[in-house]
């Protein structure tokens, strides 16, 4: 985990900017961004190669060029939000993806994040929950594709650190990306988004999922197909849980979880 630099992305490859750089804010603009454009940018540049259930998306433009995207989403479980803030889950939101290109100076991320919080605050959102993943990941050849991070941007933005989220078993694809439990469940149940999720497995070598009988035989059972290819194409990695940061957006809103000291460089992933 690297703490003296700021991580950036381009075409799903990370790079780093030295801390202490200052952006010229007059050159940048933050605005709402249609989901389809946010998805295209995130899929092109974010290491995960996936896109969350977006509720609000924002663009960072420099002189008219899109150089960053923030996506606020709804988590797989309402409890991710209601465990932290009072009120219905729809009144708070998760920071699902935050991607800046390698040309954006170091403190551009905190400036951009602050502008998105201002917009969410005006809409009446009570708070934001954000997670940092401290666990490094490797591809099938052992090459590190993700170094892990402790959430420097959140600490610099005065977030409340509340410990870990839930532990899980990650399923890593050959390129080191994660096939989420949510994606796996969608394919098995053929819920909304199952086709996109199944294509991830197909891109890594799975045979196409047959959803109707054809000349070559009967249709596949989605549960059997999913279990077969998940076992064949992914490897399990035990993950102790991401580190959780909390941002109350309204003056009277408090976190239901106690504040803990920030994790620092060298902390256990």
């Amino acid at each position: 985990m690297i703490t003296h630099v700021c991580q950036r992305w381009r075409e799903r490859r990370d790079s780093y900017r030295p801390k202490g750089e200052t952006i010229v804010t007059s050159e940048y603009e933050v605005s709402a961004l249609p989901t389809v454009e946010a998805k295209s940018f995130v899929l092109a540049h974010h290491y995960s190669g996936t896109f969350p259930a977006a509720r609000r998306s924002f663009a960072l433009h420099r002189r008219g060029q899109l150089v960053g995207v923030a996506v606020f989403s709804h988590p797989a479980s309402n409890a991710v939000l209601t465990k932290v803030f009072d009120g219905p889950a729809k009144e708070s939101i998760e920071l699902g993806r935050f991607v800046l290109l390698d040309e954006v100076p170091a403190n551009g991320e905190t400036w951009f994040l602050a502008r998105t919080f201002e917009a969410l605050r005006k809409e009446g959102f009570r708070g934001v929950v954000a997670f940092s993943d401290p666990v490094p990941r490797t591809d099938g050849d052992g090459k590190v594709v993700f170094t892990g991070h402790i959430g420097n941007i959140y600490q610099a933005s005065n977030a409340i650190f509340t410990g870990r989220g839930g532990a899980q078993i990650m399923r890593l694809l050959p390129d080191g990306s994660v096939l989420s439990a949510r994606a796996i469940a969608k394919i098995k149940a053929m819920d909304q988004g199952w086709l996109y999720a199944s294509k991830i497995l197909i891109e890594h070598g799975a045979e196409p999922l047959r959803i109707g009988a054809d000349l070559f035989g009967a249709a596949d059972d989605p549960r059997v197909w999913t279990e077969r290819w998940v076992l064949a194409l992914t490897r399990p990695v035990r993950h102790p849980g991401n580190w959780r940061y909390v941002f109350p957006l309204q003056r009277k809103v408090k976190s239901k979880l106690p504040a803990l000291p920030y994790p620092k460089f060298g902390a256990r992933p």
Side-chain angles (χ1 to χ4, degrees), residues 9-28:
W9 297 96
R10 185 178 291 272
E11 298 178 355
R12 299 178 63 181
R13 296 182 179 181
D14 62 345
S15 60
Y16 298 88
R17 306 286 307 210
K19 281 189 175 182
E21 291 182 326
T22 302
I23 67 168
V24 180
T25 57
S26 60
E27 296 182 355
Y28 291 83

Side-chain angles (χ1 to χ4, degrees), residues 187-190 194 198 202 206-214 216-229:
I187 305 172
K188 288 183 176 181
M190 300 194 80
W194 74 267
S198 68
I202 293 169
E207 296 174 358
L209 172 60
R210 294 176 297 179
I211 58 175
D214 56 27
F216 301 99
D220 291 314
D221 180 322
R223 296 188 64 86
V224 174
W225 183 92
T226 304
E227 290 172 1
R228 173 192 175 190
W229 290 110

